[in-house]
Amino acid sequence: MTAAADKTGFDRLAPPLQRWLWEQGWSGLREAQTAALPLLLDGDRDVVIAAATASGKTEAAFLPLLTRLWNADCKGLVLYVAPMKALINDQFERLELICERLELPVTPWHGDVGETLRKRFFADPRGVVLITPESLESLLFRRGTELGQLFAGLETVVVDELHAFIGSERGRQLQSLLHRLEAAIGRQVRRVGLSATLGDMGLAAEFLRPGSGSNVAVIVSSAETKPPAIEFKTMLVQPVTEVSVNAAHKAIAAELFERLRDANYLIFPNTTGLVEQYADSLRLLSEAARVPMSFFPHHGRLGKSERESTEAELKRGDRPISAICTTTLEMGIDIGAIRGVVQIGAPDTVASLCQRIGRAGRRGGEAARLWQYCVAEEPSADMGCAAGLHPDLLQALANIQLYLAKWYEPPRAGALHYSTLVQQILALIGERHGVSAADAYRALCLNGPFNNVSEADFIELLRALAGHGLIMQDASKLLLHGPLGEKRVNHFTFFAAFPDTQEYRLLHAGKELGTLPLKPNHQAGMVVIFAGRRWQMVEIDHDKRRVELMPAAVGQRPRTRGEGSPVHDRVRAEMRAVLAGLDEPVWLDESSRDVLRAARRQYRDLKLADCTSVTEGKSVYLFFWRGDAIQNGLVTLLQHHGLEAENWGICVVIKKTNPPQLTAILQTIAASPCPSPDQILNRKSIGNPEKWDWALPDRLFYASFASNRLDLAGAHACCAGWEKSDGAAHAPVPAPAPF
């Protein structure tokens, strides 16, 4: 062993680990691993490790943690929590090889894992357990009285892909699960968070240990990765119709068919429907050219066997393979060497773009390749004021610029997550076989992650749950499951924080291909593209939510529900900066340059550097260049005052109005105090976005919805700022023009 290895702490690892690492060709530890080793080996402090994809974050955590277990005669336990089953399966393969040397059991734990491995853990609770939040919820719920014994040896909880949890209902569920686990075993357990993209390390640390984020040690690797080789190409269409846009996507598919023949690639369209459309187009091109199929779809609605088949093809590495995928392949699953990434349309977030680019260029120090494609309307003199700014191309360009500047979206803090609190109340009752209201408030709110919920609001929530039959009180005032609560907690969908989407199982010749959301009016005979193939629905059983398929000559891309991630203020500000600038990145093709120049001319002609309002016909467009939380808040304020407002992303459009009417309403909003959510929201128009929203009393529902999706204070400030700078300064002029 070299002196260099000694200095990095290599010699402090368990001897079996040292031997295994030498056999794998390791000559020492990487930067993040060197920094993490003394913290995790010698102390009990919580730690966040942030480093680029493929920089060894998993090993940075597990090498010292496994050494600790080895030093303690292998009696302890490490709990690893990941957001995806596929990631758990991948880490199981990696860790099992290492832990075999240490004679430590490794137990994967999710819905696809059989009972044999779980029974082995119950008999001998030690080693490493790899689990999803949903399975951990089930374990706490079903084994509540045994938790002290099962987790007596728990040393550390490792949370992988930390960024995927922060700011979400599922993330708040995970915080509550870890808090409940510590309460059950009567002590605090060290937490380690791993992530590649964290826009705000302080918020990440606070998420990992609510209330004590300042005490969390933070390791940020400074190891540089080579900047990607970027090509940005725009497909022009005129006029913009569904037919012309689909033709553009087919043209992109034909180009990818010719370009992606030398290595493995990932192709990221922005929707599941587009994934299937590209898979279908590329399959037809392969059949026409009489070459082996090398393009396979990968998304969350595909069946397990279909996804794993694509992953195995990528990992095998004996022939060029490309996966057409959604966020399912953003995570750190080992899929072998990826040469480059294709992004079709603007990604929702810079963090998502970073994750995707980070999947490529991971072997031999090669740079990743990024091909960014956009479909844009051919510039013309009569384009509308918003369309003429070409927002999709603009956002794609802004995301790349921010990525190159190493900026990512910070998580949004302060959301109430009342829906998840309902689930945690029901789960806590099941775990403890009943709990008093005071103890539930103490466990979940006063000392738990829902610490922004007051005692009065908690009591109001309990009364609403009782009114729905979800909970009840016995003679001793103990909270128990009510009739509906008993039914809900005993259904397999209970353990997930997200809602059941009423998916239908798609089957062919006895094999399940995956699931899709269908409506009651879907009938036999309809066609669909799924798993990259064309099918006809032969039989639909709406009671069992089951669809029998047969191959067909035609198909339509599936329409799936879901919304993208909200766009951040900084992204919209960068979009404006691009319009106001003069430089043209060298990686833009000529069509992209033409569109960018046209967008900049539109920006100048509309004088958007100096004003925020444009009239066009009977509509007024407000360009505040703010993120979706503020712009959705602005839409809500305007709708409350009777205006027909929509958030178009690049701007807010108000239809059937005129500048004087809008000016008067904006001045009224600015002159009044910012309203509370329950004063301006309408429950009927919102629906129930989260799983347990239907059970919330109106006031708490509105507060929760607003805290997750709106920034009313920011929107109110925009109105006040507009009133001062724009309100009386510009008169209406012929459309399209500023006022």
Side-chain angles (χ1 to χ4, degrees):
M1 189 175 299
T2 65
D6 288 342
K7 290 178 181 177
T8 64
F10 202 103
D11 59 318
R12 299 194 61 198
L13 298 176
L17 287 180
Q18 293 183 38
R19 286 192 294 272
W20 186 85
L21 292 173
W22 280 118
E23 290 169 9
Q24 302 304 308
W26 288 47
S27 59
L29 302 180
R30 299 181 183 180
E31 178 190 4
Q33 296 159 357
T34 300
L37 192 142
L39 282 170
L40 298 181
L41 197 55
D42 300 330
D44 294 305
R45 194 175 174 189
D46 298 324
V47 180
V48 170
I49 303 172
T53 303
S55 60
K57 293 184 297 297
T58 303
E59 290 80 3
F62 273 100
L63 290 178
L65 294 179
L66 293 177
T67 296
R68 281 179 67 126
L69 295 183
W70 167 267
N71 292 339
D73 297 325
C74 299
K75 300 295 185 184
L77 174 67
V78 172
L79 188 67
Y80 166 95
V81 184
M84 294 171 54
K85 297 177 185 178
L87 188 53
I88 285 175
N89 294 340
D90 183 63
Q91 296 291 18
F92 171 67
E93 291 181 10
R94 298 171 64 187
L95 288 172
E96 190 178 37
L97 292 174
I98 300 174
C99 290
E100 190 176 36
R101 302 295 185 93
L102 302 169
E103 298 184 358
L104 277 170
V106 182
T107 307
W109 200 308
H110 55 67
D112 297 335
V113 176
E115 286 296 318
T116 302
L117 290 175
R118 301 181 192 188
K119 289 179 179 178
R120 185 186 71 178
F121 170 75
F122 290 139
D124 185 17
R126 65 187 185 91
V128 180
V129 172
L130 314 171
I131 198 165
T132 61
E134 293 72 33
S135 290
L136 182 57
E137 181 79 88
S138 175
L139 179 60
L140 267 61
F141 185 87
R142 300 184 190 283
R143 300 272 180 166
T145 58
E146 305 169 50
L147 296 177
Q149 175 187 349
L150 290 175
F151 291 97
L154 183 60
E155 289 250 335
T156 304
V157 176
V158 178
V159 180
D160 204 353
E161 303 291 352
L162 189 66
H163 67 278
F165 291 109
I166 299 176
S168 68
E169 293 280 332
R170 203 175 183 213
R172 188 55 59 90
Q173 176 193 25
L174 176 59
Q175 288 179 315
S176 183
L177 291 172
L178 298 183
H179 180 75
R180 285 166 51 200
L181 181 57
E182 290 181 343
I185 63 178
R187 59 184 173 84
Q188 195 171 95
V189 177
R190 189 213 347 240
R191 302 176 186 178
V192 177
L194 309 177
S195 187
T197 53
L198 289 169
D200 185 313
M201 299 307 301
L203 287 175
E206 184 63 27
F207 174 86
L208 186 66
R209 180 65 70 179
S212 300
S214 59
N215 297 325
V216 176
V218 175
I219 297 171
V220 180
S221 174
S222 60
E224 292 288 334
T225 56
K226 290 184 178 180
I230 302 172
E231 292 185 44
F232 194 116
K233 186 164 187 176
T234 299
M235 295 289 185
L236 299 176
V237 296
Q238 182 67 30
V240 177
T241 65
E242 185 173 353
V243 172
S244 66
V245 171
N246 283 339
H249 285 303
K250 287 183 178 179
I252 295 173
E255 190 167 298
L256 297 180
F257 179 75
E258 297 297 332
R259 299 183 79 168
L260 310 185
R261 315 292 298 180
D262 60 334
N264 289 4
Y265 295 88
L266 298 180
I267 304 168
F268 289 97
N270 278 338
T271 66
T272 299
L274 274 179
V275 166
E276 290 292 356
Q277 181 175 327
Y278 272 88
D280 178 64
S281 296
L282 289 162
R283 178 183 57 80
L284 293 176
L285 290 167
S286 299
E287 290 174 354
R290 297 183 179 181
V291 297
M293 181 61 179
S294 59
F295 299 91
F296 300 96
H298 192 288
H299 55 77
R301 287 191 163 92
L302 283 172
K304 175 188 174 186
S305 62
E306 295 283 331
R307 294 194 309 271
E308 290 184 347
S309 175
T310 299
E311 294 162 16
E313 288 284 352
L314 287 166
K315 195 180 296 187
R316 189 174 294 122
D318 57 350
R319 66 188 181 102
I321 294 294
S322 293
I324 310 138
C325 47
T326 58
T327 55
T328 51
L329 287 182
E330 278 187 17
M331 304 292 181
I333 305 168
D334 184 5
I335 49 175
I338 301 297
R339 175 72 58 81
V341 168
V342 177
Q343 174 65 46
I344 300 169
D348 289 329
T349 65
V350 181
S352 182
L353 179 65
C354 176
Q355 286 286 121
R356 295 172 180 187
I357 295 175
R359 304 296 279 144
R362 299 167 62 170
R363 300 293 186 269
E366 66 179 358
R369 302 199 66 174
L370 169 66
W371 284 297
Q372 170 72 60
Y373 284 90
C374 287
V375 177
E377 183 176 1
E378 190 170 336
S380 62
D382 59 350
M383 293 186 73
C385 66
L389 294 171
H390 299 281
D392 187 64
L393 177 141
L394 202 59
Q395 185 176 335
L397 182 52
N399 281 341
I400 293 174
Q401 300 275 48
L402 290 171
Y403 162 77
L404 294 173
K406 295 182 170 52
W407 178 89
Y408 321 115
E409 292 85 357
R412 190 177 180 199
L416 289 167
H417 298 297
Y418 274 117
S419 172
T420 303
L421 178 55
V422 171
Q423 186 206 42
Q424 291 303 291
I425 291 170
L426 296 173
L428 187 66
I429 291 171
E431 175 194 327
R432 300 187 181 183
H433 301 290
V435 62
S436 71
D439 284 345
Y441 181 72
R442 247 190 316 271
L444 298 175
C445 303
L446 189 62
N447 301 320
F450 299 92
N451 53 14
N452 52 359
V453 176
S454 70
E455 186 175 345
D457 289 347
F458 189 76
I459 292 172
E460 183 179 349
L461 178 60
L462 292 182
R463 287 173 177 160
L465 300 186
H468 285 291
L470 288 171
I471 64 172
M472 55 184 288
Q473 276 188 320
D474 65 7
S476 63
K477 300 297 184 181
L478 207 63
L479 296 178
L480 302 172
H481 294 137
L484 182 58
E486 194 71 35
K487 181 180 178 181
R488 291 296 179 99
V489 301
N490 285 312
H491 194 269
F492 72 93
T493 59
F494 169 71
F495 302 109
F498 41 84
D500 177 18
T501 55
Q502 303 293 311
E503 303 276 312
Y504 283 63
R505 296 164 60 218
L506 307 183
L507 300 105
H508 170 63
K511 178 184 177 182
E512 184 171 334
L513 301 178
T515 62
L516 274 180
L518 300 181
K519 296 180 180 179
N521 62 356
H522 277 85
Q523 300 175 359
M526 301 184 76
V527 293
V528 67
I529 299 172
F530 195 79
R533 286 158 281 174
R534 297 178 175 191
W535 307 97
Q536 184 179 39
M537 298 181 184
V538 181
E539 181 183 347
I540 302 179
D541 187 329
H542 288 289
D543 292 329
K544 296 182 179 179
R545 288 189 282 178
R546 175 187 174 110
V547 182
E548 291 290 341
L549 303 174
M550 65 176 292
V554 295
Q556 295 180 343
R557 79 184 191 204
R559 307 289 181 179
T560 55
R561 294 188 295 270
E563 55 187 44
S565 301
V567 176
H568 192 272
D569 274 1
R570 177 74 186 276
V571 175
R572 294 262 161 76
E574 184 68 18
M575 291 167 67
R576 187 180 194 181
V578 169
L579 288 171
L582 297 173
D583 63 304
E584 297 178 355
V586 295
W587 27 266
L588 295 178
D589 78 336
E590 197 56 41
S591 292
S592 302
R593 291 173 188 272
D594 289 343
V595 173
L596 177 59
R597 291 165 188 164
R600 285 171 168 170
R601 283 195 299 272
Q602 180 88 318
Y603 180 79
R604 291 193 300 270
D605 291 346
L606 296 177
K607 298 181 174 59
L608 289 177
D610 303 312
C611 67
T612 57
S613 309
V614 173
T615 58
E616 188 174 84
K618 294 182 179 180
S619 297
V620 179
Y621 300 78
L622 296 179
F623 291 88
F624 284 118
W625 306 101
R626 303 305 297 266
D628 282 334
I630 286 180
Q631 294 196 169
N632 287 336
L634 179 60
V635 165
T636 302
L637 291 172
L638 294 172
Q639 288 177 343
H640 179 65
H641 284 80
L643 294 178
E644 189 179 330
E646 295 178 31
N647 178 9
W648 279 18
I650 198 168
C651 65
V652 170
V653 60
I654 303 94
K655 299 178 180 178
K656 300 177 184 177
T657 191
N658 55 64
Q661 179 186 14
L662 177 61
T663 296
I665 289 176
L666 288 171
Q667 288 174 339
T668 298
I669 294 172
S672 306
C674 183
S676 61
D678 60 299
Q679 291 176 313
I680 61 171
L681 292 175
N682 183 296
R683 189 157 192 165
K684 189 174 181 180
S685 64
I686 294 172
N688 295 311
E690 304 298 343
K691 182 175 181 177
W692 298 96
D693 279 349
W694 60 271
L696 301 178
D698 284 349
R699 187 179 67 83
L700 300 188
F701 168 76
Y702 292 136
S704 186
F705 177 85
S707 72
N708 278 283
R709 298 165 186 255
L710 307 178
D711 183 349
L712 290 176
H716 187 268
C718 280
C719 294
W722 180 90
E723 195 270 336
K724 291 178 183 177
S725 63
D726 254 301
H730 299 81
V733 296
F739 75 90

